């Protein structure tokens, strides 16, 4: 599997994490996977996507099945806390994955993440003309650099004309959540946002799609994965217990439970399957 990662223009980075161009080759006949490999189900090649804050996935020249949603173009994934399975009909695919920062999809495009949370839709199903324009960009342009430039231009045209106060509040809350290593209550998050709890919950659901408590778990999951990859990059052994404690888990069992619930595997199994990975975005396992 080949990755090419291109950063969006600096102005867009508070909203968009990165553009990831992916190409996988092979077929279910030639891959001959082991019987216990979770990437193959009933002879079909499955690429798991980790829980995230919202993504666009473009597929080119291939039909893919996202847990029952069949797409050959732009697919919109709302904020989710469970692994999403992508099954390709031919066993190979070419596409692009674009992940948003928490709240970035709403801030740029006004897409209500509460309505989209946990769902997977095609651009046509969502019915937004702008998203169908994005779909056409990817289908008509071949080079990754050119696609990234066109995407930058598209999203620069959707920047908020003035400061989005609720998005600024959300960024402060995320910073506080990271500083507290996930050990922060909904009331404390509302206080950081300078909002009442009920209003804070409404803003969170609109911008992120999930309640603050669920966001804290998802954020901790991402930060834990990122830490595992940073240690792996040094070539040093990964001490799962120390990583668990560093990110606010009570113990290794607590971290293992969250990995099973959100990643569908144990931390040790994930480490075996998933390293090296690109950090902090929905990941096609290599």
């Amino acid at each position: 599997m080949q990755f090419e990662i291109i950063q969006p223009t600096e102005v867009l980075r508070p909203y968009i994490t990165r553009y990831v161009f992916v190409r996988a080759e092979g077929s279910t006949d030639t891959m001959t996977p082991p019987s216990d490999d979770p990437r193959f189900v009933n002879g079909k090649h499955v690429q798991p996507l980790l829980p995230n804050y919202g993504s666009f996935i473009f597929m080119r020249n291939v039909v893919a099945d996202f847990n029952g949603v069949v797409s050959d173009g732009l697919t919109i994934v709302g904020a989710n806390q469970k692994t999403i399975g992508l099954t390709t009909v031919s066993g190979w695919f070419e596409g692009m994955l674009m992940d948003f920062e928490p709240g970035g999809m709403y801030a740029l495009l006004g897409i209500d993440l509460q309505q989209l949370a946990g769902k997977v839709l095609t651009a046509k199903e969502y019915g937004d003309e702008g998203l169908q324009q994005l779909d056409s960009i990817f289908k008509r342009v071949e080079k990754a650099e050119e696609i990234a430039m066109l995407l930058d231009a598209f999203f620069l045209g959707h920047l908020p004309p003035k400061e989005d106060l609720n998005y600024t509040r959300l960024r402060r809350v995320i910073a506080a959540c990271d500083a507290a290593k996930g050990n922060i209550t909904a009331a404390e998050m509302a206080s950081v946002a300078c909002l009442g709890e009920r209003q804070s919950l409404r803003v969170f659901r609109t911008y992120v799609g999930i309640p603050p408590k669920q966001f804290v778990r998802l954020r901790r999951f991402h930060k834990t994965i990122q830490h595992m990859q940073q240690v792996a990059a040094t070539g040093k052994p990964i001490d799962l217990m120390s990583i668990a404690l560093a990110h606010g888990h009570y113990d290794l069992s607590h971290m293992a439970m969250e990995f099973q619930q959100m990643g569908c595997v144990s931390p040790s199994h994930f480490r075996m399957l998933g390293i090296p990975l690109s950090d902090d975005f929905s990941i096609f396992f290599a």
Side-chain angles (χ1 to χ4, degrees):
M1 184 171 297
Q2 300 173 331
F3 287 91
E4 182 175 356
I5 298 174
I6 299 178
Q7 296 288 345
T9 186
E10 191 170 350
V11 179
L12 292 172
R13 290 178 196 173
Y15 308 95
I16 301 170
T17 308
R18 53 178 65 82
Y19 308 131
V20 185
F21 296 86
V22 189
R23 181 174 178 81
E25 296 183 9
S27 70
T28 53
D29 295 327
T30 60
M31 287 177 180
T32 58
S35 59
D36 61 346
D37 190 331
R39 292 171 291 180
F40 293 83
V41 178
N42 297 327
K44 293 184 178 180
H45 190 199
V46 177
Q47 297 292 338
L49 300 176
L50 292 181
N52 64 13
Y53 313 115
S55 293
F56 288 166
I57 302 170
F58 298 83
M59 306 298 291
R60 194 208 308 273
N61 302 326
V62 62
V63 176
D65 182 339
F66 297 85
N67 289 9
V69 176
V70 178
S71 174
D72 62 351
L74 171 61
T75 303
I76 310 158
V77 180
N80 68 89
Q81 288 194 90
K82 294 184 178 180
T83 300
I84 293 176
L86 182 159
T87 306
T88 57
V89 173
S90 64
W92 69 273
F93 64 91
E94 182 181 22
M96 195 200 87
L97 175 70
M98 189 178 79
D99 259 9
F100 290 87
E101 291 292 315
M105 191 184 291
Y106 182 85
L108 285 177
L109 299 173
I111 295 176
D112 189 333
L113 270 293
Q114 182 174 358
Q115 297 178 2
L116 196 59
K119 296 180 181 178
V120 180
L121 300 172
T122 65
K124 187 174 182 180
E125 286 173 326
Y126 190 74
D128 183 271
E129 189 173 319
L131 295 188
Q132 292 181 44
Q133 290 175 12
L134 278 180
D135 196 16
S136 67
I137 287 174
F138 187 78
K139 287 179 176 177
R140 75 172 186 266
V141 180
E142 292 285 336
K143 293 183 179 179
E145 296 84 356
E146 193 174 343
I147 294 171
M149 289 177 60
L150 289 169
L151 291 175
D152 277 352
F154 177 87
F155 286 109
L156 285 170
H158 287 77
L159 280 173
K162 59 181 180 179
E163 181 185 15
D164 183 333
L165 184 56
N166 281 334
Y167 186 67
T168 302
R169 287 167 168 157
L170 178 64
R171 301 289 295 179
R172 290 203 304 264
V173 169
I174 292 168
C177 177
D178 290 344
K181 298 179 180 178
N183 292 316
I184 185 170
T185 66
E188 290 168 338
M189 294 168 78
S191 177
V192 171
C194 300
L195 295 171
E197 280 194 59
R198 186 173 296 179
Q199 189 178 7
S200 175
L201 177 61
R202 184 167 61 250
V203 169
F204 229 88
R205 285 185 177 276
T206 299
Y207 278 71
V208 183
I210 52 180
K213 185 176 180 180
Q214 294 179 19
F215 172 80
V216 165
R217 292 184 66 224
L218 180 54
R219 189 74 175 173
R220 182 165 54 207
F221 179 68
H222 275 247
K223 291 297 179 182
T224 302
I225 292 169
Q226 187 177 28
H227 191 167
M228 289 172 66
Q229 293 172 91
Q230 288 170 347
V231 174
T234 68
K236 297 178 180 178
I238 296 177
D239 183 346
L240 291 176
M241 175 61 83
S242 66
I243 290 177
L245 297 177
H247 294 281
H249 296 96
Y250 304 128
D251 52 28
L252 190 54
S253 296
H254 181 214
M255 185 173 81
M257 179 188 70
E258 293 207 331
F259 262 73
Q260 286 285 358
Q261 290 176 351
M262 289 190 277
C264 296
V265 293
S266 67
S268 57
H269 195 183
F270 180 89
R271 176 180 59 187
M272 179 184 69
L273 284 175
I275 292 175
L277 298 172
S278 301
D279 61 14
D280 213 21
F281 65 97
S282 299
I283 299 159
F284 291 94
F285 285 9

